[in-house]
Amino acid sequence: MTTIVNGLDELKALVGKDLGVSEWLEITQERVNTFADATDDHQWIHVDPERAEAGPFGAPIAHGYLTLSLVIPLFQNLLKVEGVRMGVNYGLEKVRFPSPVKVGSKIRLAATVVSVEDVPGGTQSTFDFTVQIDGEDKPACVARTVYRQYA
């Protein structure tokens, strides 16, 4: 369920809150191939299903940065900030990829609001993200992300 806040004061009230989890998203070979084309990263563990089956993961896997990039649409499932001029991705403080995402698996995002601080013209918000893999104990990605919202 999407949390909707109106304005920066309502966003600040979310500090310490768990935003829940997004819907599941299936990782297809087509998505992996498209990402490989966009980034010129055609390593066989991503784009050669036959060879990847015999490889260390038993299947082709998504690029770590593909998994990281998918937090954007998944996060939009969790939080919508209205009443601001714009929001921008300000960066990352920490990113790890504890477990590979095999093609055909499903991922979802869990998020927690760590902080919301005033900056000139708006706020800077920090979130802890965990990308979960359906049926797996270890997450695909853990990241601390930073966004800015401008009034």
Side-chain angles (χ1 to χ4, degrees):
M1 187 164 111
T2 305
T3 298
I4 300 171
V5 296
N6 190 3
L8 301 178
D9 288 335
E10 287 186 19
L11 179 61
K12 289 176 185 177
L14 293 179
V15 171
K17 303 277 186 196
D18 177 353
L19 297 175
V21 294
S22 70
E23 297 291 322
W24 290 106
L25 174 67
E26 183 176 355
I27 302 303
T28 65
Q29 187 65 56
E30 179 182 9
R31 184 183 295 270
V32 170
N33 291 347
T34 300
F35 189 84
D37 289 342
T39 60
D40 286 331
D41 181 355
H42 293 93
Q43 187 175 170
W44 63 270
I45 62 172
H46 305 303
V47 299
D48 187 340
E50 288 180 16
R51 187 173 176 196
E53 257 184 54
F57 306 110
I61 61 170
H63 305 72
Y65 286 121
L66 169 57
T67 302
L68 181 62
S69 73
L70 291 172
V71 302
I72 295 167
L74 294 172
F75 187 49
Q76 292 172 354
N77 245 250
L78 297 178
L79 179 65
K80 184 174 183 179
V81 181
E82 296 179 340
V84 296
R85 188 168 36 99
M86 70 174 170
V88 295
N89 178 351
Y90 195 68
L92 300 159
E93 292 183 0
K94 183 178 181 181
V95 178
R96 297 288 183 267
F97 303 105
S99 187
V101 178
K102 293 179 182 177
V103 168
S105 61
K106 294 178 183 175
I107 62 170
R108 69 180 179 185
L109 180 68
T112 302
V113 184
V114 175
S115 66
V116 180
E117 301 169 353
D118 290 325
V119 295
T123 59
Q124 179 169 295
S125 306
T126 304
F127 301 88
D128 280 342
F129 286 167
T130 302
V131 178
Q132 303 168 342
I133 306 169
D134 191 20
E136 300 288 333
D137 292 331
K138 288 175 71 175
C141 178
V142 291
R144 179 158 283 188
T145 62
V146 182
Y147 291 90
R148 288 213 169 164
Q149 299 79 25
Y150 295 96

